[in-house]
Amino acid sequence: MQSREQWGSRLGFVLAAAGSAVGLGNIWKFPYMAGQNGGGAFLIIYLALVFTIGLSVMLAEFAIGRAAQRNPIGAFAVLKGKMWPIVGFMGVLAGFIILSFYSVVAGWTVAYIVKMASGALVGDADTLGAAFGGFISDPVEPILYHAFFMALTVAVVLGGVHGGIERACKILMPMLFVLLIVLIGRAVTLPGAEKGLEFFLSPDFSKVTAETFNGALSQAFFSLSIGMGAMITYGSYLNKKENLAKSAVWVSALDSAVAVLAGLLILPAVFAFGFDPAAGPGLTFITLPAVFAQMPGGIFFGILFFLLLTVAALTSAVSLLQPIVAYFTDEKGWNAKVTAVVFGFVIFALGVPSSLSLGIWSDFHIIGEKGFLDSMDYIASNIMLPVGGILISLFVGWAVAGKMQSEVTNEGEKPFPLFGAWLFICRFIAPIAVAWILISGL
Ligand code: TRP
């Protein structure tokens, strides 16, 4: 067996994990979820869940991955066996489903680079809304972009974890951060933007329902890339020197910071232009071009923004494909390149009905009123990730608790004073709270 690939540096791992976490979940999904779920109250519940349950599950995944040095399925098998590898299997399946629609939306960002550059995204709010609606419902164009994005993802995975991913994260993530701040400067000074700031920052708890909790929880899992084993996989390429708890805090903090920045950018602009904050998945794509139109050098900023968003999506997509590739190479001895290409095709195919569900197949419903794309998102994000999170917590809290103290403290070298609290969350709080939110949401 060839020796397992490793991250190139300490910073490399945190950046790669943050690269996985920061993506469309933060910039496309978070603002519209906050918009649909009451703004400020959603933000507070979201952050509370991230820094309790989310952080604990992330640390659990890092610890499992590093202890086992395996893909998610193999990791459960090595550490405990019995029925546990099923958790990893469900995770790999969830990654499969998520990537299929994720790549469709990432394709939109690629298309928007081209559309910004060609000057197609001009006009008032209504024109921009119609342009977006026309584009995503087209039976051909978005699928070509989806194919292109999926090919990019496969290409990065072929480059190996630390060649491609680490380098992309080191330069482009800080750029995205800075660009967001520049754009916020424009958005919050638009006339009428104050109403959006108020909506996002001052919570109205009278609007909180079981659905708010359910939305915040699934968004937290999706945004942190937890519940399916992506972080198990990334932890498995780690040596025994890294401080796992500190890394988990960094990744969660960076991910939340980007989500909050995206909210500060999109929601004020939504109110300034008179859009509906509850409009759903088109929110970011319709609002931002309207912001760019109000800026000097707007075309330049627009191209740069969608380019960086594409890269952020790419570093996330890679973390959805990598666990699948790691499984077949670790356990079945398959060739990594062949595996990546084959599954790239299969996932592309599964994404096609998602794309069509926004146009010619929009009458075809799977869950309730939800079309194919929304149903895939719902099954994976609202059910599979939280269930995965419950099982990962129980695994760490009960099944392998004895091995975990030495794992998170690097055999006692890095003290982790909160170990007891973490174990308590994994044993009781996370499973019970997540199960409760899950059941009350259904
Ligand atoms: N967290 C990424 C985002 O916010 C998406 C993602 C990457 C993901 N890997 C994951 C979601 C694993 C769930 C599980 O865009």
Side-chain angles (χ1 to χ4, degrees):
M1 196 170 138
Q2 69 203 102
S3 81
R4 203 175 168 77
E5 219 182 328
Q6 294 251 315
W7 300 110
S9 64
R10 288 199 51 174
L11 189 64
F13 164 67
V14 174
L15 282 176
S20 165
V22 175
L24 297 171
N26 306 61
I27 290 167
W28 161 70
K29 209 172 177 195
F30 178 82
Y32 86 74
M33 293 285 284
Q36 284 176 333
N37 289 291
F42 180 86
L43 174 65
I44 290 183
I45 295 168
Y46 173 79
L47 290 176
L49 289 171
V50 165
F51 286 101
T52 51
I53 295 169
L55 187 55
S56 300
V57 174
M58 186 182 291
L59 178 56
E61 289 202 25
F62 286 166
I64 293 171
R66 190 176 66 174
Q69 298 281 305
R70 288 293 166 90
N71 64 86
I73 301 173
F76 286 99
V78 171
L79 296 179
K80 192 73 189 184
K82 305 214 180 75
M83 300 289 279
W84 286 105
I86 293 175
V87 182
F89 181 78
M90 191 184 72
V92 170
L93 191 67
F96 203 89
I97 296 174
I98 293 174
L99 186 51
S100 73
F101 69 82
Y102 200 84
S103 171
V104 171
V105 179
W108 303 348
T109 68
V110 178
Y112 265 52
I113 303 172
V114 178
K115 289 180 193 294
M116 281 296 331
S118 67
L121 295 174
V122 286
D124 60 11
D126 289 337
T127 320
L128 291 168
F132 177 73
F135 165 63
I136 62 166
S137 59
D138 187 273
V140 180
E141 207 189 340
I143 292 177
L144 297 178
Y145 284 106
H146 160 50
F148 175 76
F149 184 83
M150 207 51 229
L152 273 182
T153 305
V154 170
V156 175
V157 169
L158 294 183
V161 286
H162 92 251
I165 306 175
E166 248 184 274
R167 240 176 291 144
C169 294
K170 232 177 247 180
I171 309 162
L172 296 162
M173 295 256 305
M175 273 177 75
L176 179 66
F177 213 83
V178 173
L179 182 64
L180 281 173
I181 292 170
V182 171
L183 296 178
I184 289 170
R186 173 66 272 204
V188 298
T189 51
L190 290 165
E194 335 68 66
K195 275 186 252 109
L197 280 178
E198 196 188 309
F199 173 77
F200 186 50
L201 297 177
S202 61
D204 175 2
F205 286 104
S206 68
K207 297 219 182 72
V208 173
T209 60
E211 238 162 74
T212 318
F213 277 91
N214 197 258
L217 182 80
S218 58
Q219 175 60 21
F221 273 71
F222 188 89
S223 190
L224 294 171
S225 300
I226 56 176
M228 60 124 330
M231 293 305 188
I232 295 180
T233 310
Y234 276 17
S236 79
Y237 302 117
L238 204 51
N239 62 38
K240 299 280 177 190
K241 293 197 207 88
E242 194 77 36
N243 186 330
L244 297 183
K246 228 192 213 166
S247 304
V249 171
W250 266 107
V251 174
S252 306
L254 282 171
D255 188 63
S256 306
V258 175
V260 171
L261 289 178
L264 287 173
L265 167 62
I266 307 290
L267 292 166
V270 163
F271 280 79
F273 294 116
F275 294 127
D276 173 13
L283 204 60
T284 294
F285 286 92
I286 297 170
T287 310
L288 277 175
V291 175
F292 298 134
Q294 301 286 321
M295 291 176 81
I299 301 237
F300 166 77
F301 283 113
I303 295 171
L304 185 63
F305 176 82
F306 285 112
L307 192 68
L308 293 175
L309 184 55
T310 300
V311 175
L314 188 60
T315 57
S316 302
V318 164
S319 77
L320 289 159
L321 184 56
Q322 184 68 30
I324 303 172
V325 175
Y327 168 67
F328 284 100
T329 50
D330 286 352
E331 311 296 326
K332 308 279 173 202
W334 289 19
N335 175 297
K337 296 195 163 50
V338 174
T339 314
V341 172
V342 167
F343 281 95
F345 270 107
V346 178
I347 293 168
F348 164 75
L350 184 63
V352 169
S354 277
S355 184
L356 295 177
S357 74
L358 303 169
I360 53 175
W361 286 4
S362 61
D363 291 335
F364 176 58
H365 301 303
I366 300 206
I367 299 175
E369 289 290 288
K370 290 180 169 51
F372 196 86
L373 190 154
D374 290 340
S375 302
M376 291 296 111
D377 186 9
Y378 186 83
I379 293 168
S381 313
N382 293 50
I383 299 173
M384 294 175 90
L385 295 182
V387 170
I390 293 174
L391 295 171
I392 288 166
S393 301
L394 291 173
F395 183 71
V396 160
W398 300 100
V400 293
K403 292 186 192 145
M404 287 295 130
Q405 182 143 24
S406 75
E407 189 58 48
V408 291
T409 59
N410 301 357
E411 325 289 329
E413 266 176 42
K414 295 240 158 66
F416 179 42
L418 293 176
F419 180 76
W422 175 57
L423 205 62
F424 186 75
I425 293 178
C426 289
R427 284 192 165 164
F428 302 107
I429 311 266
I432 294 171
V434 174
W436 182 72
I437 295 173
L438 197 66
I439 292 164
S440 62
L442 290 177

